[in-house]
Amino acid sequence: MKRAGLMILVLSLIFLFVAQAFSADVIRFGAALSLTGKLAKEGNLVKNGYELWKETVNKKGGIRVGNKYYKVDIKYYDDESDPNRAAKLVEKLITEDGIKLILGPYGSESVFSTSAITEKYGALMVQGGAAADKLYTRGFKNLFGIYTVATEYMDDTLKMLRNKTPKPNTVAIVYSNDLFSTQVAQGAYASAQKYGYKVVYYKDYPKGTQDLSTVIVEIKAKNPDILIGCGHFQDTVVIVKQSKDYKLNPKAIAFSVGPTLPDFITALKGDAEYIFGSAQWTPTLKYKDPVFGSNANFVKAFKAKFGVEPNYHAAGGAAAAVIFQRAIEKAGSFTDINRIRQALASFNEETLFGKIRFDATGKVVGKGMPVIQILRGQQKTVYPEAAAEAKPVYPKPAWR
Amino acid sequence: MIILQILLNGILLGGFYALIGVGFSLVWGVTNIINLAHGAIALLGAYITLFLFQHYGFDPFLSLPFSFIPLFIFGYILQRFLLNLVVKAQIFMLLILTFGIEIFLVNFMTTFFSADFRSVTPDYAGESLIVGNIVIPYIRLGVFAICVLITLLLSLFLNKTWTGKAIKATSLDIDAAMMVGINPAKIFAITFAIASGLAGVAGSLFSLTQAFSPSVAGALTLRAFIVSILGGLGRVEGALLGGIILGIVETLSSYIIGESYKNAITLAIMVLVLVIKPTGILGKKYFAEVKH
């Protein structure tokens, strides 16, 4: 028994030395992700983004710091889609595993909880998986996020529509009364005013509602040119179906969430046609990228590795990692958190996710939201013009 | 003009509420069971319609017998071999049992059909009757007509057939009913079967007008509960009246005060009825009487 104990001690000591010697040429990142649980789908997509980045970087020799190349290693934990657990795991990454470079989890709640931990321990987080404005109102210095925030979700859609003929003048905004959707709606209201629209309807409905016929009838009485829905997937289905029932025929219908999901077309079939949606990212954007070469190359590499086209979750993960890497290279250190933070604060580069700059709070600015439209049963990027696959159809034909 | 449209919407919605409420009310009135699984059973009907529509292109209105018959049998078996065992137990036991059945059914549906929201959209969805400024979607009109028709048929059944009379007799006086040769266990089972079958039909019609997922089961049960309270237990005409009142209250309060406050207003009305007339608007004393 004693001998066995001794053996284990010796072995673990050897392992410790080997690991240390090995780790000298490796930069270790850490991530607590939803690999199981209700956000498992999104969490695994983000992980795929990280993995593809890691593989691509390592194939090229690694991250260049000074004159030396370091291989990338990522330590993952499964937070089981629980923000509290995610926070504990990030604490474990920092305090037990000694990792101070944290790649973000998926979902606003998890980013909210884990970024408080990275802030507390002076670790650094770059995240491509959460869009709540409240993440950036806490005075944190060590959190950088690349998702366009909720209040800016509908801005590009309203900007795109303002020059169309016949010119739209009135907007109706209807939103689910949860935090995210409320912020999206507030932002849409501000954007509508900025672009000179008149907001003729602005009301919320309870989260998870099944019947919005009264709301639709009310909106119809206001006869808006544009209908903006800020809610979740199921709400968009209800709004589309009941708009058709009650012959609510605005010149454009746009949703913050919904049309970007493949299920939107499956659920609504022909009725999904001509509806606009906001996307964080689309595969057709024509951006350059320091690691993958271009957005198109990223899409190709992702398809080759995972067999499916990437969506914005995977792209967000990969882009966050790319930005982290570029900041480390610019800082010339992967241990001096302060210098990497400064490199992020002054970051201004084109990546697969867009031209990325951060404001003083760490949130991305000026990235914009590409606009998609459902055309012949497919999501097509219609804005910005540089990335457009098709011309937006406006005004929307009346319901058949 | 808009108020007219909203009132009309309320009435049309009310027809559906009547159908979902009438079975719940009947079971409560006759067997004294508050069936918390009622909404989940209705959703089974919705999924039957969805399944037939998606896989065989079945017209949703024609699928009504296919949701009525299996759920009628399901309801019969459930009452005969499970609920009858504890029907004499305390109300608390029955609540726990039916709540357990609800959880089981919701999870069953989530496993088989996923938690995604679905809707049944036949080709004629979105076609509407237009009278001046008023839009009446044909589907909602059809759903209303069927709901009212079925409720009236149920009323005829209860008043004219032997089984119907036996159900009413059992609800009035179980001992007297036994004396004239009625088997209460059987009557309970038939009542529950009818209620489940009607819930299934209501669910099928629900799938035509609204989006659904297993998670809305609770909301449906709540509506059935309110309809029963408003109209009075065990009364078919009560359910019809209660349903229409609920429909109008919901759409009006949504319009005047806001969609977000709709549920609060509805529940306030229910409390009001319970305080002013606990037997419901059309309820007579015996129907709501506690029998043990």
Side-chain angles (χ1 to χ4, degrees):
Chain A
M1 215 46 221
K2 248 186 182 169
R3 273 182 60 170
L6 197 69
M7 284 272 280
I8 289 170
L9 187 72
V10 170
L11 275 176
S12 52
L13 274 175
I14 291 171
F15 183 74
L16 204 69
F17 280 119
V18 170
Q20 208 136 51
F22 187 67
S23 70
D25 288 359
V26 168
I27 302 180
R28 292 176 81 210
F29 293 82
L33 280 168
S34 306
L35 303 178
T36 60
K38 68 178 192 299
L39 294 175
K41 205 169 151 194
E42 293 87 344
N44 278 297
L45 284 166
V46 173
K47 186 186 173 191
N48 288 351
Y50 291 157
E51 283 293 290
L52 183 62
W53 164 75
K54 182 179 94 179
E55 200 175 84
T56 313
V57 173
N58 284 344
K59 225 181 269 169
K60 288 180 168 179
I63 299 181
R64 184 164 177 247
V65 182
N67 289 321
K68 204 170 165 210
Y69 280 87
Y70 294 85
K71 296 274 186 199
V72 172
D73 185 33
I74 305 174
K75 181 148 183 88
Y76 295 104
Y77 286 119
D78 177 12
D79 70 17
E80 294 162 18
S81 303
D82 175 1
N84 296 322
R85 195 167 157 72
K88 282 190 201 108
L89 290 170
V90 167
E91 188 156 25
K92 187 171 148 90
L93 280 169
I94 299 170
T95 57
E96 287 180 30
D97 302 319
I99 298 172
K100 286 203 159 183
L101 308 171
I102 305 296
L103 291 161
Y106 177 77
S108 288
E109 268 94 23
S110 285
V111 172
F112 198 79
S113 65
T114 54
S115 56
I117 302 296
T118 49
E119 194 73 17
K120 178 174 149 196
Y121 289 102
L124 206 53
M125 180 190 289
V126 182
Q127 63 92 4
D133 290 68
K134 64 171 180 174
L135 292 168
Y136 307 105
T137 55
R138 297 173 294 169
F140 282 10
K141 298 247 173 314
N142 292 355
L143 172 67
F144 293 86
I146 63 167
Y147 270 18
T148 299
V149 290
T151 48
E152 292 169 24
Y153 254 61
M154 302 314 291
D155 193 76
D156 279 309
T157 305
L158 287 165
K159 195 169 161 190
M160 173 191 78
L161 290 171
R162 87 193 139 150
N163 294 325
K164 296 275 172 256
T165 35
K167 194 173 162 40
N169 294 311
T170 50
V171 181
I173 300 167
V174 59
Y175 61 100
S176 165
N177 63 3
D178 62 280
L179 179 69
F180 172 74
S181 304
T182 305
Q183 286 189 331
V184 173
Q186 284 164 351
Y189 194 100
S191 296
Q193 287 187 317
K194 183 168 75 182
Y195 298 126
Y197 297 102
K198 191 167 168 242
V199 179
V200 291
Y201 181 93
Y202 182 74
K203 270 194 198 168
D204 63 343
Y205 56 83
K207 190 181 178 185
T209 193
Q210 299 116 43
D211 186 16
L212 286 169
S213 52
T214 310
V215 169
I216 299 293
V217 167
E218 248 184 290
I219 295 175
K220 195 188 169 204
K222 306 279 186 194
N223 193 24
D225 293 328
I226 301 171
L227 169 63
I228 296 218
C230 316
H232 299 276
F233 173 66
Q234 75 170 88
D235 317 349
T236 63
V237 173
V238 173
I239 290 173
V240 170
K241 277 188 79 168
Q242 298 190 340
S243 296
K244 188 180 175 187
D245 284 350
Y246 288 97
K247 309 280 178 242
L248 169 61
N249 273 312
K251 297 189 180 79
I253 299 179
F255 293 114
S256 56
V257 175
T260 47
L261 303 167
D263 290 352
F264 186 76
I265 297 164
T266 331
L268 288 167
K269 302 206 178 66
D271 295 339
E273 280 301 288
Y274 310 118
I275 289 172
F276 292 105
S278 298
Q280 287 288 354
W281 172 90
T282 68
T284 56
L285 291 170
K286 294 180 178 69
Y287 291 120
K288 292 194 300 260
D289 187 85
V291 173
F292 295 99
S294 68
N295 189 34
N297 280 351
F298 163 75
V299 174
K300 219 194 291 165
F302 193 93
K303 262 189 192 159
K305 185 165 164 65
F306 298 106
V308 287
E309 183 149 286
N311 70 343
Y312 71 90
H313 301 106
V322 166
I323 290 159
F324 220 152
Q325 173 192 351
R326 289 295 296 147
I328 289 167
E329 287 173 349
K330 253 176 79 186
S333 164
F334 61 90
T335 47
D336 189 339
I337 296 299
N338 232 347
R339 269 168 61 192
I340 306 171
R341 185 206 298 125
Q342 278 158 15
L344 283 167
S346 63
F347 196 87
N348 190 2
E349 266 186 59
E350 195 165 305
T351 69
L352 66 104
F353 218 60
K355 285 196 182 75
I356 304 292
R357 281 184 298 123
F358 299 102
D359 68 4
T361 62
K363 101 182 153 199
V364 72
V365 280
K367 190 201 115 228
M369 293 282 279
V371 181
I372 62 140
Q373 188 174 30
I374 310 293
L375 294 168
R376 283 177 295 280
Q378 284 187 315
Q379 301 159 0
K380 295 282 183 196
T381 311
V382 293
Y383 187 87
E385 270 135 37
E389 296 169 273
K391 271 183 101 68
V393 174
Y394 176 93
K396 177 185 179 303
W399 301 110
R400 275 180 299 107
Chain B
M1 212 56 191
I2 183 172
I3 200 89
L4 207 64
Q5 170 87 62
I6 281 166
L7 274 175
L8 198 70
N9 281 359
I11 294 169
L12 294 186
L13 186 63
F16 167 73
Y17 285 159
L19 187 58
I20 187 102
V22 74
F24 184 85
S25 168
L26 197 65
V27 165
W28 194 355
V30 175
T31 66
N32 219 26
I33 294 172
I34 297 173
N35 178 20
L36 295 181
H38 195 73
I41 293 172
L43 277 182
L44 285 174
Y47 280 107
I48 289 173
T49 295
L50 177 77
F51 180 81
L52 290 175
F53 177 74
Q54 274 186 340
H55 291 266
Y56 304 103
F58 233 78
D59 187 279
F61 283 109
L62 294 181
S63 73
L64 296 183
F66 294 90
S67 40
F68 181 80
I69 295 165
L71 288 171
F72 181 91
I73 297 168
F74 174 73
Y76 191 89
I77 294 171
L78 203 63
Q79 176 73 40
R80 194 72 215 253
F81 299 105
L82 188 65
L83 292 172
N84 267 347
L85 301 178
V86 290
V87 80
K88 288 266 191 252
Q90 284 191 342
I91 184 98
F92 197 56
M93 274 304 292
L94 286 164
L95 283 176
I96 289 175
L97 186 58
T98 57
F99 188 50
I101 295 169
E102 199 244 8
I103 291 172
F104 173 79
L105 289 178
V106 167
N107 282 298
F108 170 82
M109 287 185 281
T110 311
T111 308
F112 274 86
F113 303 104
S114 87
D116 292 346
F117 269 81
R118 309 300 185 97
S119 66
V120 176
T121 316
D123 295 333
Y124 48 84
E127 308 265 329
S128 305
L129 181 69
I130 300 171
V131 188
N133 272 335
I134 307 279
V135 179
I136 310 167
Y138 282 129
I139 286 193
R140 282 184 185 239
L141 201 62
V143 167
F144 178 77
I146 290 175
C147 289
V148 173
L149 184 72
I150 291 180
T151 324
L152 294 179
L153 282 177
L154 179 67
S155 178
L156 272 179
F157 167 78
L158 286 177
N159 290 318
K160 301 286 176 207
T161 64
W162 188 89
T163 316
K165 285 177 184 165
I167 289 175
K168 288 182 79 173
T170 312
S171 82
L172 283 169
D173 189 332
I174 198 164
D175 296 325
M178 280 164 82
M179 258 183 263
V180 295
I182 293 168
N183 176 357
K186 245 186 195 160
I187 291 300
F188 282 3
I190 285 172
T191 308
F192 204 89
I194 291 170
S196 300
L198 293 184
V201 172
S204 291
L205 296 171
F206 182 72
S207 72
L208 274 164
T209 56
Q210 303 190 15
F212 63 96
S213 89
S215 64
V216 306
L220 285 179
T221 307
L222 180 68
R223 296 293 184 285
F225 190 85
I226 297 173
V227 167
S228 309
I229 296 285
L230 285 179
L233 291 187
R235 305 267 306 181
V236 174
E237 316 86 277
L240 204 52
L241 187 72
I244 287 172
I245 290 174
L246 177 62
I248 292 174
V249 165
E250 278 199 351
T251 48
L252 265 189
S253 58
S254 161
Y255 173 59
I256 296 168
I257 302 160
E259 187 77 23
S260 289
Y261 301 93
K262 189 172 81 179
N263 284 344
I265 305 285
T266 309
L267 289 170
I269 300 266
M270 188 182 86
V271 171
L272 214 65
V273 169
L274 279 175
V275 170
I276 297 168
K277 196 167 184 300
T279 50
I281 294 165
L282 288 187
K284 288 178 191 149
K285 192 163 174 286
Y286 57 81
F287 275 107
E289 215 170 28
V290 179
K291 285 184 284 288
H292 344 285

